[in-house]
Amino acid sequence: MEFALLNGSIIERSEAKVDVEDRGYQFGDGVYEVIRIYNGKMFTATEHLKRFFKSAESIGISIPFTNLQLKEMLQELLIKNNLETGNIYMQVTRGTAPRNHLFPTENVVPTLVAYTIKGVRPLDGLKSGVKAILTEDIRWLRCDIKSLNLLGNLLAKQKASEQGCFEAIQHRGQDVTEGSSSNIFIVKDGTVITHESNHLILKGITRDVILDLCTKNNIPVQERSFTLVEIESAEEAFLSSTTAEVMPVIEIDGKKINSGIPGPLTRKLQDLFKLEIEKQCGVLVDNVL
Ligand SMILES: Cc1ncc(COP(=O)(O)O)c(C=O)c1O
């Protein structure tokens, strides 16, 4: 039997239901988070929970639990669902109220839901790399909030998939921002470059781990926006996310990067990232290389 967390109670997943007037369902009025699980343990849980509370606060939703209470409930959910490898998905919405664009005035309790999803590491992509397309970034201007409103992201991802690609790399005019569900990095003259964290991208937890690994290992790094010309002529490219880890990009819009094989710095960061996972969650049995 699978369980889910609904407003502080762990119940049978099939019983976890929300009202049709939940504002998440009607307006996407809420935020979400995904935490990766390896060997039954949460990876970078502190960082994800911090971002969850920050996203909620930035749209005026007050999560009715402390960070620690939520972490303990998620831990209990993990154990009840006996999850070894996969993700915990959680979301909080402004709650249920008669449909109205305005925030409800009376005391409406936010709806908090979490459940687990089984899922192995994407080893084929990690080994061989993936293809991507470039597409105009049509999203709103608060991409730093991990909002439930993902329509722009979904349209981009769907377009990529229909062209046989893993990811859509978005750009505003000449400036590359991020993937539809990932951050994007390039390597130029041996320097790792990724968009600075501002309102145009989500400050990925994986992105932050990678930047930290670069600094600790004397790999030159720059947080700045880069152009379409720069990505097209990049020595290496990779994307990062909770589920995709450090994912080599070997082709963009049909043009090969590094002759179509994952580059040496990307490989090094994959190794360092794996060690980081193992520090927190124990040894990973599956190897990328
Ligand atoms: C738009 C977007 N950017 C970046 C990321 C990567 O963030 P993280 O590394 O925290 O998973 C995600 C992850 O879902 C995302 O949806």
Side-chain angles (χ1 to χ4, degrees), residues 53-270:
F53 278 79
K54 194 175 162 208
S55 289
E57 196 190 312
S58 69
I59 59 166
I61 292 178
S62 172
I63 297 176
F65 304 101
T66 63
N67 188 312
L68 183 64
Q69 281 170 331
L70 181 56
K71 191 173 182 181
E72 283 172 0
M73 289 187 288
L74 296 175
Q75 192 58 51
E76 197 184 327
L77 181 67
L78 260 189
I79 293 167
K80 283 205 99 162
N81 282 346
N82 203 13
L83 185 71
E84 269 292 298
T85 309
N87 303 303
I88 300 185
Y89 175 84
M90 75 203 79
Q91 68 171 48
V92 64
T93 73
R94 204 176 301 279
T96 297
R99 190 177 188 282
N100 188 331
H101 282 49
L102 292 172
F103 293 178
T105 45
E106 77 271 28
N107 259 352
V108 169
V109 185
T111 311
L112 194 147
V113 176
Y115 61 93
T116 59
I117 307 158
K118 286 198 179 79
V120 295
R121 299 177 66 214
L123 290 178
D124 289 348
L126 292 174
K127 278 180 197 146
S128 313
V130 295
K131 297 177 185 173
I133 59 161
L134 293 167
T135 192
E136 184 68 37
D137 194 338
I138 61 164
R139 301 172 303 158
W140 70 331
L141 295 172
R142 287 303 308 272
C143 298
D144 53 317
I145 300 170
K146 204 164 166 61
S147 151
L148 293 177
N149 285 278
L150 288 174
L151 205 43
N153 309 56
L154 306 188
L155 292 173
K157 189 74 141 199
Q158 182 64 24
K159 187 173 163 192
S161 174
E162 284 168 7
Q163 295 183 34
C165 291
F166 178 80
E167 183 57 302
I169 300 168
Q170 303 169 105
H171 57 93
R172 292 192 191 262
Q174 287 305 301
D175 292 331
V176 174
T177 51
E178 64 177 340
S180 70
S181 62
S182 60
N183 292 112
I184 177 81
F185 293 71
I186 58 169
V187 177
K188 193 181 171 192
D189 300 326
T191 297
V192 173
I193 307 169
T194 195
H195 198 286
E196 70 266 34
S197 67
N198 62 15
H199 62 290
L200 298 179
I201 66 155
L202 183 74
K203 192 175 188 298
I205 305 298
T206 321
R207 170 190 179 279
D208 284 354
V209 173
I210 294 167
L211 291 177
D212 202 40
L213 287 172
C214 286
T215 308
K216 283 187 183 138
N217 291 279
N218 299 316
I219 299 169
V221 63
Q222 285 177 4
E223 285 182 73
R224 65 159 174 91
S225 64
F226 52 88
T227 63
L228 289 175
V229 174
E230 286 182 288
I231 198 168
E232 277 159 8
S233 59
E235 288 149 29
E236 300 178 37
F238 61 89
L239 48 87
S240 72
S241 80
T242 295
T243 51
E245 302 181 7
V246 179
M247 181 66 79
V249 176
I250 50 150
E251 200 178 296
I252 300 176
D253 274 353
K255 282 180 231 126
K256 292 201 172 7
I257 307 279
N258 190 44
S259 313
I261 51 166
L265 252 179
T266 307
R267 283 285 185 236
K268 180 162 187 182
L269 286 167
Q270 284 184 313

